[in-house]
Amino acid sequence: KRLDTAKGDAQIQLLNILIDRKAASATDALLAQAASKDPKVCAVALKGLGRIASPKVLPAIIKLLVKTEDGAVRHEAELAVVSVSRRIANPAEQADDVLAAIKTADSTPAKCSLLAVLGGIGNAKAFDAVKSAMDTKTPEIQDAAVRALTVWPNPTATDALLQIFGTTKNSTHRTLALRGIVRILSLD
């Protein structure tokens, strides 16, 4: 109740209390605060949603991610979407909401963020979408796809990274691919 009237630091402190208590009943309040005009409040609310939200609110969090313009808020939204997506019981369905959103996203930064999220989810559907994004003509989207592959949570991306390393003329992508390969080789 106090959250509705709190401002500034008090608002952030109340959000942190709800997050620390893992107050799942506060999900709606966190969603409302994540739409705030204050970027600090948005970031804290999104961090909380990443920790306590159930998959049923995933579409709402994705909408916030697609809509945001602030870099720090976007980063927290990406982390929240990955975290909540991983709570979906069937791993094959974890990327479905993100894949639906990427088809309708109209801005390049939103598509890049959604590709980053797919890299964090790391299932087969996500891999196919990220791999196909490599063929786009938009340099920002290609870069986001390469970066998503370099943080892939399992060895699925190894061949794609080897291909990037061997064929790209972009020195940054070549370095990122090598780092991704080395990181994947260190996985169990």
Side-chain angles (χ1 to χ4, degrees):
K1 289 180 182 180
R2 299 261 182 186
L3 193 55
D4 293 335
T5 59
K7 300 287 184 219
D9 287 341
Q11 198 174 15
I12 291 171
Q13 288 176 348
L14 290 170
L15 287 169
N16 283 323
I17 290 168
L18 292 170
I19 295 166
D20 288 345
R21 291 182 174 200
K22 296 183 176 130
S25 61
T27 299
D28 290 338
L30 289 172
L31 278 171
Q33 297 301 316
S36 168
K37 292 181 181 172
D38 182 346
K40 291 179 184 176
V41 172
C42 290
V44 172
L46 285 162
K47 181 185 268 187
L49 286 167
R51 290 187 183 167
I52 65 174
S54 71
K56 70 180 181 177
V57 299
L58 186 57
I61 302 171
I62 292 171
K63 282 183 185 177
L64 291 167
L65 167 62
V66 170
K67 185 173 84 169
T68 189
E69 302 278 329
D70 185 272
V73 173
R74 183 178 298 277
H75 178 70
E76 285 300 334
E78 290 171 0
L79 295 174
V81 172
V82 170
S83 181
V84 175
S85 293
R86 287 184 177 169
R87 290 190 195 111
I88 296 173
N90 183 351
E93 297 173 359
Q94 291 177 347
D96 290 354
D97 289 327
V98 178
L99 292 170
I102 206 165
K103 289 177 185 175
T104 60
D106 54 356
S107 76
T108 299
K111 287 180 182 180
C112 292
S113 284
L114 292 168
L115 286 169
V117 167
L118 290 173
I121 294 171
N123 69 11
K125 291 178 190 176
F127 179 75
D128 292 341
V130 171
K131 186 95 164 82
S132 70
M134 294 290 304
D135 298 330
T136 187
K137 301 289 184 208
T138 309
E140 295 89 349
I141 293 177
Q142 284 180 345
D143 187 63
V146 169
R147 290 176 188 279
L149 290 171
T150 63
V151 297
W152 210 259
N154 56 53
T156 304
T158 306
D159 289 338
L161 289 168
L162 284 169
Q163 182 181 6
I164 293 165
F165 180 75
T167 61
T168 189
K169 291 180 173 46
N170 183 321
S171 63
T172 301
H173 289 176
R174 186 175 171 86
T175 302
L176 288 169
L178 181 60
R179 286 181 186 167
I181 293 165
V182 169
R183 189 192 56 74
I184 287 174
L185 290 173
S186 70
L187 296 174
D188 288 340

